Amino acid sequence: SYKLPMKKAILVAAFLILPVSVYANTWSTQLVSNLSQYLGVADSASTSITGDMTLMGWYRSTTAKDSDIVSKWTATGNQRSYLLTQACLSVNQIQFAVDQDGTGITQETNNFSYPCSALLSKWEHIAVVYSNSAHTIDLYLNGVLQSRNNTGSVTGVFNGTSELELSSRNGGTGDYFDGQMDEVMVWAQALTQSQIVQYMNCGVPSPN
């Protein structure tokens, strides 16, 4: 696998902005799956979110394949925390999972139907909100709620040691994403729908 250099990683208030390398005069990150490219951020207090969280970003997939989008998830040593994927080979879904103890046994998931082939080469905004207090996982596409799931017995997210990755999991050995990503943000809070729409439309806030 090839780990792309991180051009910028900015900690702003309660969230982490994750892209970016410059591609085609934009601030998006180009990822090519057959080159095993991914972005990784070392484990830290900023990425080890154990309660409320929001993941969001713009994604442009160029291949209808199973792909890891955002993960802090390593099966080796039971270091599973959270995982956002695109499942296109059989079910055509966007899927999200949170794990409570890292083992893969005590976890909750949510998904929504996603027509992978029809949306190829189109920019789509995907957001997931995990509320530890409300025990829910909400999934949004372009600011519109697609699915809500009650997390049941899960009472938090495992504080694992795996790195935070874009386009992979398991330390750069997952299902690589083929396409571009932009304005990927990880928040240590459960954003509302109006807040998601605000950042979707207005872009990344300026650093403090």
Side-chain angles (χ1 to χ4, degrees):
S1 64
Y2 174 59
K3 185 174 180 179
L4 294 174
M6 291 298 295
K7 300 295 184 180
K8 180 163 51 174
I10 310 172
L11 182 63
V12 184
F15 70 95
L16 185 70
I17 304 172
L18 288 176
V20 290
S21 31
V22 178
Y23 175 78
N25 297 318
T26 72
W27 283 99
S28 61
T29 295
Q30 175 75 10
L31 297 158
V32 183
S33 63
N34 61 8
L35 297 180
S36 302
Q37 293 178 329
Y38 75 103
L39 290 162
V41 179
D43 176 53
S44 69
S46 300
T47 62
S48 294
I49 302 170
T50 59
D52 292 355
M53 75 166 66
T54 301
L55 311 179
M56 73 168 77
W58 288 96
Y59 307 96
R60 178 180 176 270
S61 177
T62 54
T63 305
K65 62 185 291 290
D66 290 351
S67 305
D68 296 324
I69 300 175
V70 180
S71 75
K72 195 172 190 298
W73 191 276
T74 300
T76 302
N78 289 328
Q79 295 297 312
R80 302 170 180 88
S81 296
Y82 49 88
L83 173 66
L84 177 65
T85 61
Q86 168 185 284
C88 295
L89 294 182
S90 59
V91 294
N92 284 294
Q93 292 178 344
I94 296 296
Q95 302 175 337
F96 178 74
V98 291
D99 196 284
Q100 180 173 300
D101 59 9
T103 64
I105 297 174
T106 307
Q107 66 177 241
E108 289 292 340
T109 63
N110 195 8
N111 61 75
F112 68 88
S113 296
Y114 186 78
C116 299
S117 296
L119 295 177
L120 283 181
S121 299
K122 296 180 180 179
W123 282 101
E124 304 290 340
H125 190 271
I126 298 171
V128 54
V129 179
Y130 167 69
S131 173
N132 189 44
S133 56
H135 303 291
T136 55
I137 299 172
D138 291 345
L139 294 174
Y140 295 85
L141 180 64
N142 298 323
V144 178
L145 180 65
Q146 303 294 309
S147 178
R148 167 172 285 184
N149 187 37
N150 190 290
T151 58
S153 61
V154 170
T155 59
V157 183
F158 179 63
N159 185 10
T161 59
S162 59
E163 67 178 2
L164 176 63
E165 300 174 52
L166 306 186
S167 177
S168 187
R169 69 177 108 167
N170 294 325
T173 60
D175 293 321
Y176 302 102
F177 184 87
D178 201 355
Q180 290 170 272
M181 299 184 180
D182 196 12
E183 295 181 2
V184 180
M185 291 184 271
V186 179
W187 296 73
Q189 63 187 93
L191 297 186
T192 65
Q193 184 173 15
S194 61
Q195 289 172 317
I196 290 170
V197 171
Q198 175 187 351
Y199 289 116
M200 180 184 74
N201 291 331
C202 300
V204 177
S206 299
N208 293 332

